[in-house]
Structure formats: C-alpha cells, structure tokens
Amino acid sequence: MSDRPVLGGRQAGERHITRAGQGGGRDVFEYALLRVVPRVERGECINAGVVVYCRARSYVGARTHLDEARLLALDPAADVAGVRAALRAVEKVCAGGETAGAAGGDDAGRRFRWLVAPRSTILQPGPVHTGLTTDPVAETERLLRLLVR
C-alpha cells in the first residue's frame, strides 16, 4: 500500500488523461456560466445561463433561465427586459447565422471564445470549466438544471 493520499479514487499526483479512442465515446467539452451582475460595484450575481462548446462535435449552445424575483431582490431597479435581451443575444450567437450579427459566420469555437471573454457589463461569463460528454446538447440542459435553475 502506498503512503500517498488518495483523491477521487486515484492516488495524489496521478493524472487522469483521456487519449483519442479511450474516452468511451465521450468528447471533451467546455462550459461557462452566464452571470447577471445588476450592480457591478457590489459584485453580487445570479446564474442565468450556461454556454457549452464541444470542438469534436462543432457544437456551441446556450440555455438560459432568468429568475426575475432573485434579480429584483439584488437590485429592485434592474433592467429585466435588457437582461432578457442580452440572454437572447447569447443564444442567437450560439446558433450562428444571420440573426447572430457579425459573429454569425464564425466557427463554433470562435463564437464560444467571444462569448466567454471577460467583460464588465451586467451579463458576465464565469470561468471556463471542462468535462466529458456523449451528448453536448443534453449536457447543456443538464448544466442548466444543475447550476442555474
């Protein structure tokens, strides 16, 4: 028996690396939460959506849900309609095409990177995290249920 501590079923210091063909049909994906920060100077936020990118599937998608009561609890003067419009714009950029504006013609990866770039507006992306999935669309829904709703 080793005297190294065990973390997550592996000994500390071991790395879990998935090589091509070893992921059990799963692909790497990246995601970021979309946070509404109604008063930037206070730093308070609520999660209002998730953006998911899977390079192997050329997929970028967003799902959003705005809890108006929570938003208004943070800032009774919050522009709810403006926040909803910003969330719809993120979904349009993910979908691509003409309704996405200038970003509509970009590939999925470029649209994802643009959406998760740091900004100091009322709608801000959180840090990017990674995982493995067999279905990035279903993963988007799962993350919305788990982290937003």
Side-chain angles (χ1 to χ4, degrees):
M1 179 142 162
S2 172
D3 50 347
R4 289 194 297 177
V6 175
L7 300 172
R10 297 187 306 269
Q11 288 186 337
E14 287 184 35
R15 294 176 58 192
H16 179 78
I17 299 172
T18 302
R19 292 180 176 80
Q22 294 181 336
R26 299 179 299 170
D27 296 309
V28 174
F29 74 95
E30 299 174 71
Y31 73 94
L33 285 171
L34 297 174
R35 299 173 175 164
V36 178
V37 185
R39 295 179 57 193
V40 176
E41 69 278 6
R42 290 184 61 141
E44 299 168 331
C45 66
I46 62 168
N47 295 340
V50 63
V51 180
V52 173
Y53 169 59
C54 181
R55 180 178 174 193
R57 308 274 178 108
S58 296
Y59 170 82
V60 64
R63 291 284 289 127
T64 62
H65 171 78
L66 181 61
D67 186 333
E68 281 187 36
R70 289 178 67 195
L71 174 59
L72 293 172
L74 290 180
D75 182 5
D79 179 6
V80 175
V83 171
R84 285 196 185 285
L87 290 168
R88 279 193 306 273
V90 169
E91 291 177 338
K92 286 180 181 180
V93 168
C94 286
E98 290 181 20
T99 61
D106 289 340
D107 63 58
R110 192 172 171 113
R111 291 194 314 269
F112 177 75
R113 297 284 172 239
W114 183 79
L115 288 169
V116 299
R119 47 185 56 93
S120 60
T121 60
I122 193 169
L123 184 60
Q124 299 179 8
V128 175
H129 304 282
T130 61
L132 294 171
T133 186
T134 57
D135 184 349
V137 176
E139 195 66 42
T140 307
E141 291 294 330
R142 184 187 77 80
L143 290 169
L144 181 75
R145 282 190 315 273
L146 179 69
L147 303 172
V148 177
R149 290 198 171 169

